[in-house]
Amino acid sequence: MTRASGAAASPGPKRLIALTGIGQLLTLADGPSGARGGAAQGALGLRENAAVLIADDRIRWVGARDGLEAAVEATRDPEGAGDVMVEVHDCRGRAVLPGLVDSHTHLVWGGDRRDELELRLGGADYEAIFAAGGGILSSVRQTRALSEDDLHRAALARALRMRACGTTTFEIKSGYGLDLETELRQLRVARRLATSDGLRVKTTCLAAHALPAEHRGSADGRARFLAEVCETILPAVVAEGLADYCDVFCDRGAFTPEESRQVLGRARALGLELRLHANELGSTGGARLAAELGAASADHLLYLDDDERAALRDAGVVATLLPGTSLVLGKPYADGRALIEAGVPVAVASDCNPGSCALESLALVLALACYGCRLSPAEAICAATHNAAASLGLAGEVGQIAPGAAADLLILATDDYRDLVYHAGSPLIAAVFQGGRRVA
Ligand SMILES: [Zn+2]
């Protein structure tokens, strides 16, 4: 339904979008402004029979339906002049929540690893495949071979599928270049998804993802590669403004805590904030390092003791769980329940990557966080919206439905948000709004 009113003599009507008849509105707007741990993680700021008014790319107003007309009037300029067009969407009792925030992806890659998937399903071990030159190194070869345009085409196709599944904000890492040119190319593609394709993106340089083949087999290869990351790749990435964060794969078979500290220290000196792949394959020191450095996020965390949980909490590090990877690799799930009980803010992300987890639906991964990591549905929603946003420095901008926030939100095809877990994997995302536009 469209309604127009007002006087003439304006440059054109102001366009507003009103969502009415919302059965459950998950605002995520009631708790602390930063990342939420403990009981605060389960508070969804639920409003029933609510309405939302969107002006341009922002949430303008949230309230009960009978306040909508006054909210529309309040958008007029002080003289009351100018047309106002209101496009009304009746949600017919369905649930509405913020667009999902995927705070850990490796979205820009070349080729695929479907053959490796079959090897793993046949019993081969991920670390053994990696040691034999497959795994990450296979994606490095395939990514280095692609032009920026070809990488962009592949990444955009994935990102649009992810958005149709509810993701409106993406963190995107490099790490399939492991050399200057390809790392820059991956990050340029990630930036382009924001500047020309309208996606909301934060970027992370993960040049220290694996030791590249050309540096293997010689005694000083590791030191030479780390020097290249610190003295060549990171400075070039920063000079071109291509990254918001630096990440390191700190784990068995990748980089030690000492090596990771070297890279992250250099990144911080260059002005980047920090994230860390930590404690995925063992108790290998990454979580402690993330706490020591005050990283924005420590990710994976399959192996964690009480002291490490306390250290993460005290340092204000968001624990980002990636249960899709546990599913695909047949690994244990991170203990999300223990993290929540320890008061550590928990985020959930897809880890979308060509090898260990190519799942694209964060809504599905959110459900895995319940079944595998023992989060409640409400905790998992907060993990994939507000807490993920907080880990990306976007708290209040996305991950909430509140006046002033970006108009990124989802209308579900059901009246109860818990169906995202109860009926995990079903097509429950009825509409996706990004920046005030319906995009899916
Ligand atoms: Zn990852």
Side-chain angles (χ1 to χ4, degrees):
M1 181 181 95
T2 301
R3 188 164 57 88
S5 64
S10 83
K14 183 192 292 257
R15 277 191 66 254
L16 305 174
I17 296 173
L19 306 182
T20 62
I22 302 170
Q24 291 179 336
L25 178 66
L26 282 54
T27 67
L28 280 293
D30 290 351
S33 59
R36 296 169 191 162
Q41 171 135 19
L44 294 175
L46 191 66
R47 316 267 190 278
E48 296 191 341
N49 303 313
V52 171
L53 186 64
I54 297 168
D56 302 318
D57 62 346
R58 298 273 136 189
I59 307 284
R60 170 76 184 209
W61 170 88
V62 175
R65 172 66 182 84
D66 58 12
L68 179 61
E69 273 70 26
V72 169
E73 287 307 308
T75 67
R76 291 182 188 281
D77 63 40
E79 285 79 41
D83 287 348
V84 176
M85 304 261 303
V86 186
E87 187 182 310
V88 179
H89 290 260
D90 182 353
C91 297
R92 299 196 307 273
R94 291 177 297 182
V96 170
L97 71 157
L100 302 180
V101 178
D102 198 338
S103 55
H104 182 138
T105 85
H106 304 250
L107 195 46
V108 181
W109 76 77
D112 71 83
R113 280 153 56 192
R114 297 183 182 100
D115 292 345
E116 196 178 294
L117 168 64
E118 290 188 306
L119 285 177
R120 278 193 286 102
L121 292 174
D125 176 68
Y126 176 79
E127 288 181 74
I129 291 171
F130 180 67
I136 292 170
L137 296 180
S138 163
S139 289
V140 169
R141 286 191 297 276
Q142 299 184 76
T143 302
R144 286 178 178 178
L146 287 196
S147 70
E148 184 175 322
D149 283 347
D150 287 342
L151 279 175
H152 173 256
R153 198 171 299 117
L156 178 60
R158 284 175 208 126
L160 293 180
R161 288 196 298 268
M162 292 166 86
R163 191 164 70 173
C165 296
T167 301
T168 50
T169 299
F170 302 77
E171 185 264 7
I172 301 176
K173 303 176 196 296
S174 64
Y176 295 118
L178 312 184
D179 63 17
L180 176 64
E181 282 312 311
T182 319
E183 288 289 312
L184 292 175
R185 195 153 75 241
Q186 277 192 284
L187 290 168
R188 287 185 196 122
V189 168
R191 284 283 195 237
R192 190 165 151 192
L193 293 172
T195 54
S196 33
D197 305 310
L199 300 167
R200 211 175 293 285
V201 175
K202 289 276 193 175
T203 59
T204 300
C205 180
L206 178 61
H209 193 194
L211 187 64
E214 61 270 25
H215 287 290
R216 288 174 182 242
S218 70
D220 64 344
R222 295 184 75 82
R224 278 192 288 116
F225 177 65
L226 289 166
E228 184 182 337
V229 170
C230 291
E231 302 314 322
T232 305
I233 297 176
L234 285 173
V237 163
V238 169
E240 214 178 304
L242 291 176
D244 306 300
Y245 293 90
C246 179
D247 192 344
V248 175
F249 190 1
C250 177
D251 223 317
R252 198 167 64 213
F255 296 98
T256 67
E258 278 316 306
E259 292 167 339
S260 304
R261 186 184 281 108
Q262 178 189 345
V263 172
L264 295 172
R266 179 70 175 129
R268 176 165 275 166
L270 288 165
L272 298 178
E273 294 196 61
L274 312 180
R275 321 181 76 78
L276 203 57
H277 282 69
N279 295 45
E280 179 187 7
L281 305 173
S283 297
T284 47
R288 287 187 188 285
L289 181 63
E292 175 196 319
L293 298 178
S297 178
D299 302 32
H300 285 291
L301 305 177
L302 271 55
Y303 300 88
L304 215 53
D305 63 26
D306 287 344
D307 288 348
E308 289 167 319
R309 280 185 281 270
L312 292 172
R313 177 195 61 218
D314 294 345
V317 180
V318 173
T320 299
L321 308 186
L322 309 168
T325 308
S326 293
L327 177 78
V328 173
L329 293 183
K331 300 262 182 193
Y333 286 87
D335 191 343
R337 192 79 254 130
L339 283 160
I340 299 239
E341 282 165 8
V344 185
V346 173
V348 168
S350 70
D351 196 17
C352 185
N353 76 77
S356 63
C357 179
L359 298 183
E360 296 174 330
S361 169
L362 182 53
L364 174 62
V365 172
L366 174 165
L368 292 177
C370 298
Y371 294 119
C373 308
R374 299 189 298 139
L375 267 55
S376 71
E379 289 162 348
I381 297 266
C382 178
T385 56
H386 174 76
N387 275 1
S391 89
L392 294 172
L394 292 173
E397 171 71 7
V398 298
Q400 288 187 16
I401 298 177
D408 292 2
L409 49 84
L410 313 177
I411 303 174
L412 298 186
T414 169
D415 60 4
D416 194 316
Y417 72 89
R418 293 173 297 181
D419 283 345
L420 288 173
V421 180
Y422 194 49
H423 295 302
S426 292
L428 292 170
I429 310 294
V432 180
F433 285 80
Q434 174 131 53
R437 283 191 318 118
R438 184 169 174 167
V439 291

